């Protein structure tokens, strides 16, 4: 089941509010980690990077393939989950929690209205 | 994100399936197309399945592998005049790794031959190449020698890992003979439900292990019996994902990646599978000439010293100069680092211990040149 209260993209990323209005935390969904298989390496963006919506800013390597992670919205990277360096498997075991990837201070918080809610994302998963 | 295996779609319906497909589904396997077959990629997870195989035992369904029987007076001699390795090096009851080469020395397929006797050889080619190898042999087979494609008649189950012998003994597939084990690359015929099955000390993991060739009709009960003891021994059913990480750690080539029509045995360092003194085999003149003048590139292992996972077809560089290309690459669950097999230009003069980099989408991953295997072999 897709958790309520988060927002999503069709690229299987989740977006949660982090602290203040303008800052979000981003990770990949349970469906995504299951499709990827065992995650063995995560290449994260650098704190301070300015990103545009749709930019490829991170990579997740599993035993079988590599997948790109896109910036869901425009903004500046304010934090990355450096724990994933030693324990990338947290992306598999806790994708919505300790497996988070980065935080983003949004250039325009209003753009969040374009993201999918849980119901809309569930439809994406069901159609995959 | 681009995804790997997904739900079965219309375009997959022409793929062949193992007789054990329903059992794999019941175990929660994810599937992927491989060589025209839809086979399990993983059950519980590639890393767990890999580790179970190294530390206890893994059970693999590799029924996609080809099965070709060559029979008739002088069948072994006929095969020996076609394929590279020297069947004169082994006796009946032994298996041999060999190559089917084109006249230019490129590799049409690599396969295992089971020498039953002068008049019978059983070949196990790769799934995608099985029909081609069979056709090529059949096309030149002399009067009286029959080449039969038995691809769907048998399953192939691999039991691999330090507890593999216990699994075979406890299921009764191979009688417990005290300290006496089958020799590496030896095989015996046993029975399961009154049907003949072939038990071989072969594998593709670098572990002590066996491959069982059994009639499709008894595949279900054989799998169930093996799976039960595998579980008792702390092992797991394992998919093609773990098979690939295991074979890469063991430095074993995969046809279509590390060997192929454009990659000769001399380049790939599988010259041990060529009977150089034989008077006749496909590709002989080209291979002898290449061996004489020295190959333009040779296979090496690369072990990442930084974080990252090399994959096939990435450029290998010495400084800024391209010196070769990876042919396989993955994450080694045993070493917990990226590893690759690569063809490096002979002219670059690289050898063990040298540092190179692999270009991972524009990022340089530093790697040490090593001689595979990456993980010590336990096959014997």
């Amino acid at each position: 089941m897709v958790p309520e209260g988060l927002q999503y993209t069709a690229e299987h990323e989740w977006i949660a509010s982090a602290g203040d209005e303008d800052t979000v935390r981003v990770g990949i969904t349970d469906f995504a980690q299951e499709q990827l298989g065992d995650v063995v390496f995560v290449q994260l963006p650098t704190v301070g990077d300015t990103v545009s919506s749709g930019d490829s800013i991170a990579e997740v390597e599993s035993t079988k393939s590599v997948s790109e992670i896109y910036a869901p919205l425009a903004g500046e990277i304010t934090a990355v989950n450096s724990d994933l360096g030693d324990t990338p498997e947290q992306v598999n075991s806790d994708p919505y929690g300790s497996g988070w990837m980065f935080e983003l201070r949004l250039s325009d918080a209003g753009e969040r209205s374009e993201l999918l809610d849980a119901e809309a994302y569930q439809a994406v998963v069901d159609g995959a | 994100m681009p995804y790997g295996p997904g739900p079965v779609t219309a375009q997959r319906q022409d793929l062949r399936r193992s007789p054990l497909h329903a059992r794999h589904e019941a175990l929660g396997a994810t599937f992927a197309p491989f060589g025209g077959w839809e086979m399990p990629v993983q059950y519980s997870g590639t890393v767990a399945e890999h580790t179970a195989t190294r530390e206890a035992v893994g059970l693999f369904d590799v029924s996609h592998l080809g099965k070709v029987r060559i029979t008739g007076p002088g069948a072994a001699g006929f095969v020996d005049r076609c394929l590279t390795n020297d069947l004169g090096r082994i006796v009946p009851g032994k298996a041999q790794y060999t190559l089917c080469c084109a006249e230019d020395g490129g590799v049409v397929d690599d396969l295992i031959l089971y020498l039953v006797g002068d008049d019978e050889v059983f070949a196990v080619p790769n799934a995608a190449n099985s029909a081609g190898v069979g056709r090529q042999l059949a096309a030149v087979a002399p009067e009286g020698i029959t080449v039969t494609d038995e691809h769907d008649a048998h399953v192939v189950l691999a039991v691999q890992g330090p507890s593999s012998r216990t699994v075979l003994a406890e299921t009764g597939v191979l009688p417990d003979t005290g300290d006496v084990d089958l020799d590496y690359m030896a095989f015996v015929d046993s029975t399961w439900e009154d049907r003949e099955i072939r038990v071989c000390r072969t594998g593709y993991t670098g572990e002590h292990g066996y491959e069982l060739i059994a009639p499709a009709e008894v595949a279900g009960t054989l799998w169930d019996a093996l799976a039960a003891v595998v579980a008792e021994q702390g092992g797991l059913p394992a998919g093609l994902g773990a098979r690939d990480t295991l074979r890469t750690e063991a430095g074993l080539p995969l046809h279509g990646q590390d060997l192929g029509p454009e990659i000769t045995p001399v380049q790939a360092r599988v010259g041990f599978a060529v009977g150089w003194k034989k008077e006749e085999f496909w590709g002989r003149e080209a291979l002898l000439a290449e061996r004489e003048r020295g190959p333009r590139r040779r296979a090496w292992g690369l072990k990442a010293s930084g974080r990252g996972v090399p994959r096939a077809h990435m450029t290998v560089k010495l400084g800024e100069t391209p010196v070769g290309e990876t042919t396989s690459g993955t994450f080694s669950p045993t070493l917990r680092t990226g590893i690759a097999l690569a063809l490096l230009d002979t002219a670059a003069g690289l050898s063990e211990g040298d540092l190179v980099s692999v270009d991972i989408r524009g990022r340089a991953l530093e790697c040490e040149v090593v001689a595979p295997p990456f993980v010590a072999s336990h096959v014997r």
Side-chain angles (χ1 to χ4, degrees):
Chain A
M1 281 305 295
V2 173
E4 299 286 337
L6 299 179
Q7 291 181 292
Y8 300 89
T9 68
E11 284 74 39
H12 307 282
E13 291 162 23
W14 57 260
I15 296 94
S17 296
D20 62 80
E21 282 272 296
D22 295 339
T23 305
V24 294
R25 179 172 276 198
V26 179
I28 67 169
T29 65
D30 188 50
F31 174 82
Q33 70 78 19
E34 203 163 280
Q35 294 292 309
L36 284 169
D38 292 330
V39 172
V40 295
F41 175 64
V42 183
Q43 171 79 20
L44 293 167
T46 305
V47 172
D49 282 357
T50 302
V51 302
S52 301
S53 171
D55 285 358
S56 172
I57 59 168
E59 284 177 0
V60 181
E61 297 258 15
S62 71
T63 47
K64 64 186 180 207
S65 65
V66 59
S67 292
E68 289 179 304
I69 304 295
Y70 305 101
L73 298 163
E76 182 190 332
I77 303 292
T78 53
V80 296
N81 185 1
S82 49
D83 286 352
L84 297 181
D86 286 331
T87 51
E89 60 272 19
Q90 289 180 101
V91 175
N92 294 119
S93 58
D94 191 12
Y96 297 111
S98 61
W100 69 278
M101 296 197 174
F102 54 87
E103 291 183 353
L104 194 58
R105 186 184 300 121
L106 304 176
S107 328
D108 176 5
E111 286 179 357
R112 286 188 70 174
S113 63
E114 293 164 24
L115 298 170
L116 305 176
D117 63 14
E119 190 185 348
Y121 176 64
Q122 183 69 54
V124 172
V125 171
D126 293 343
Chain B
M1 324 172 52
Y3 284 117
V8 177
T9 57
Q11 71 185 45
R12 291 197 176 173
Q13 282 172 2
D14 57 349
L15 293 172
R16 295 156 89 173
R17 287 178 168 180
S18 161
L20 298 167
H21 192 88
R23 280 175 170 75
H24 303 318
E25 278 185 329
L27 287 165
T30 54
F31 296 87
F34 187 80
W37 289 65
E38 186 182 33
M39 297 300 291
V41 174
Q42 63 163 40
Y43 303 84
S44 47
T46 294
V47 173
E49 294 163 23
H50 176 110
T51 306
T53 305
R54 287 267 181 261
E55 294 178 357
V57 60
L59 173 62
F60 303 75
D61 177 6
V62 288
S63 300
H64 58 292
L65 292 172
K67 303 102 187 166
V68 178
R69 192 183 302 273
I70 304 107
T71 53
F78 160 63
V79 172
D80 202 40
R81 291 192 295 277
C82 300
L83 307 182
T84 58
N85 211 335
D86 186 352
L87 272 176
R89 289 173 180 167
I90 62 168
V91 295
K94 286 289 181 79
Q96 184 179 65
Y97 177 71
T98 190
L99 306 164
C100 175
C101 281
E103 282 310 329
D104 68 359
V107 182
V108 175
D109 200 15
D110 63 341
L111 57 160
I112 300 283
L113 292 184
Y114 297 90
L115 181 60
V116 181
D118 290 346
D119 302 335
E120 184 175 345
V121 176
F122 192 81
V124 176
N126 284 290
N129 305 324
S130 184
V133 170
R135 266 199 304 274
Q136 216 166 312
L137 287 170
V140 294
E143 188 76 26
I145 291 181
T146 311
V147 180
T148 315
D149 178 359
E150 300 186 358
H151 210 146
D152 293 315
H154 316 273
V155 292
V156 183
L157 304 182
V159 183
Q160 302 278 306
S163 301
S164 56
R165 194 174 166 209
T166 307
V167 172
L168 265 62
E170 293 201 1
T171 48
V173 165
L174 188 65
D176 191 350
T177 47
D179 291 338
V180 185
D181 193 7
L182 266 182
D183 286 339
Y184 179 56
M185 297 298 275
F187 66 90
V188 291
D189 289 334
S190 179
T191 56
W192 184 260
E193 293 187 330
D194 298 326
R195 297 291 300 270
E196 192 168 281
I197 61 172
R198 186 158 285 166
V199 181
C200 318
R201 262 295 308 285
T202 48
Y204 196 47
T205 61
E207 290 301 323
H208 184 287
Y210 305 81
E211 288 173 307
L212 314 182
I213 304 170
E217 294 79 15
V218 298
T221 56
L222 180 59
W223 171 274
D224 292 345
L226 292 167
V229 183
V230 163
E232 280 169 26
Q233 295 292 319
L236 288 171
L240 293 184
R243 186 172 157 87
D244 193 57
T245 53
L246 288 158
R247 71 93 194 168
T248 307
E249 283 186 352
L252 299 170
L254 172 65
H255 189 272
Q257 290 186 198
D258 315 297
L259 282 174
E262 310 296 323
I263 305 171
T264 70
V266 182
Q267 296 168 12
R269 290 184 200 265
V270 289
F272 65 87
V274 180
W276 295 105
K277 292 178 182 158
K278 290 202 303 181
E279 286 177 7
E280 197 182 339
F281 58 86
W282 294 335
R284 180 174 178 272
E285 280 176 36
L287 290 173
L288 279 171
E290 187 185 27
R291 186 187 186 220
E292 180 66 27
R293 67 173 182 269
R296 66 182 172 86
R297 54 185 187 172
R298 298 209 72 173
W300 285 98
L302 302 178
K303 188 175 158 188
S305 36
R307 289 180 194 274
V309 184
R311 308 283 180 184
H313 306 301
M314 290 180 166
T315 302
V316 182
K317 291 179 176 177
L318 181 63
E320 288 304 307
T321 312
V323 292
E325 190 184 79
T326 55
T327 51
S328 285
T330 191
F331 174 80
S332 160
T334 305
L335 302 175
R336 298 194 62 80
T337 190
I339 56 171
L341 299 173
L343 286 167
L344 302 182
D345 296 342
T346 314
L350 292 162
S351 62
E352 251 178 290
D354 287 339
L355 294 178
V356 294
S357 67
V358 173
D359 184 344
I360 299 186
R361 298 171 292 277
R363 193 167 56 85
L365 174 67
E366 188 185 74
C367 294
E368 182 186 347
V369 177
V370 298
F374 297 93
V375 171
S377 169
H378 297 110
V379 294
R380 288 172 196 279

